[in-house]
Amino acid sequence: MKPGRLPWLLGCFLIAAAAVGSKVVPRMTFQRGDPGREIGAFSQEGILNYDTFLLSADGETLYVGGRDAILALNITSSPISLKGKIPWSPSPSKRRECVFKKKSNETECFNFIRILVQLNETHLYTCGTCAFSPTCAFIDVENFTLVTDAKGEPLLQEGKGLCPFDPRHQNTALIVGGELYTGTMNNFQGNEPVISRTLGSRTILKTDSFLSWLHDDAAFVASFNVPGPPGEEK
Ligand SMILES: *[C@@H]1O[C@H](CO)[C@@H](O)[C@H](O)[C@H]1NC(C)=O
Ligand SMILES: *[C@@H]1O[C@H](CO)[C@@H](O)[C@H](O)[C@H]1NC(C)=O
Ligand SMILES: *[C@@H]1O[C@H](CO)[C@@H](O)[C@H](O)[C@H]1NC(C)=O
Ligand SMILES: *[C@@H]1O[C@H](CO)[C@@H](O)[C@H](O)[C@H]1NC(C)=O
């Protein structure tokens, strides 16, 4: 393709998309307050950035990752009720480092929860940006607390390569067969995309940035498991 051609093609495509977009009519519409479609709402003072969601297998509990907190909501009760809350902020030293690296203490140096997945029947796995120092942890579903070590401190794991440093970057995560597949930015600058496979018993796999088959400004939006024949590598 000749240079200069691509922007033009893209332009046409965008215009076409806009034209199509204006004719799209939703299959179903409900007015706000329509008794036929009850909408439950939940918010809590001091909790912002409800970014990450996970529905329990029985469909009764919605886990929500926000800023410096993970919530468990009972969505079968009306109104929606708070069943559990895990406060999880970056340590003061992590916040100081974050501010030292010229990030904002008011908007960025928090723990934005970006991964919340069902690891197995008893545990969730979660990761957050943790003041530009991505960190992961296990959640015990039964009592909705972070799993702790022998000293009672949360058992934290390095989250680099699984969760973004910067809350502005998108990421994706999926559990398949007890293994975690993620797509995110691998570095502080946010220009090194990486896809990886971790947890489980097999060796950790990561895409090699030297091969640069992922574009520097890749944005990860979603991931799916395409089941293959039994026994085939995923
Ligand atoms: C949710 O709330 C309803 C009504 O209060 C209760 O009957 C039910 O047991 C709760 N479910 C869970 C999963 O906590
Ligand atoms: C960041 O803000 C908190 C209050 O929200 C304050 O306690 C803390 O000292 C500030 N940290 C830095 C490094 O400015
Ligand atoms: C679920 O995973 C956690 C963390 O790896 C582990 O401690 C626990 O034993 C597992 N539970 C089951 C039922 O496999
Ligand atoms: C939560 O439950 C686990 C076992 O299921 C236990 O090891 C842990 O101490 C409990 N945590 C709290 C805070 O009760």
Side-chain angles (χ1 to χ4, degrees), residues 52-191:
T52 309
F53 301 92
L54 173 71
L55 190 61
S56 65
D58 62 12
E60 290 188 5
T61 306
L62 183 66
Y63 301 104
V64 182
R67 193 180 94 174
D68 287 355
I70 305 163
L71 312 177
L73 305 179
N74 180 344
I75 54 168
T76 63
S77 69
S78 178
I80 291 172
S81 56
L82 184 65
K83 270 174 56 177
K85 178 177 170 183
I86 300 175
W88 185 17
S89 305
S91 64
S93 71
K94 286 268 188 274
R95 281 198 80 158
R96 275 194 300 276
E97 278 169 41
C98 181
V99 173
F100 183 72
K101 290 175 195 158
K102 299 277 181 289
K103 298 297 175 184
S104 164
N105 193 28
E106 278 72 47
T107 59
E108 295 175 303
C109 297
F110 294 97
N111 189 20
F112 294 87
I113 305 300
R114 283 314 187 74
I115 293 182
L116 203 47
V117 287
Q118 185 95 42
L119 183 61
N120 58 31
E121 279 155 41
T122 55
H123 289 78
L124 308 183
Y125 194 67
T126 183
C127 306
T129 60
C130 218
F132 280 75
S133 177
T135 307
C136 299
F138 296 94
I139 296 173
D140 189 305
V141 175
E142 188 63 36
N143 48 23
F144 203 60
T145 52
L146 293 184
V147 172
T148 53
D149 62 15
K151 281 184 262 162
E153 296 294 322
L155 193 64
L156 301 178
Q157 295 191 332
E158 169 70 57
K160 180 181 183 299
L162 308 182
C163 172
F165 285 67
D166 189 329
R168 282 172 303 181
H169 287 137
Q170 286 174 290
N171 66 294
T172 180
L174 182 73
I175 289 276
V176 180
E179 294 175 304
L180 177 68
Y181 294 78
T182 55
T184 189
M185 287 297 174
N186 197 26
N187 59 349
F188 183 87
Q189 293 79 5
N191 57 6

Side-chain angles (χ1 to χ4, degrees), residues 24-47:
V24 171
V25 178
R27 246 178 265 175
M28 243 192 261
T29 55
F30 290 93
Q31 297 292 330
R32 197 185 159 86
D34 188 328
R37 182 82 170 186
E38 205 181 307
I39 297 176
F42 177 87
S43 67
Q44 203 187 36
E45 181 103 23
I47 301 202

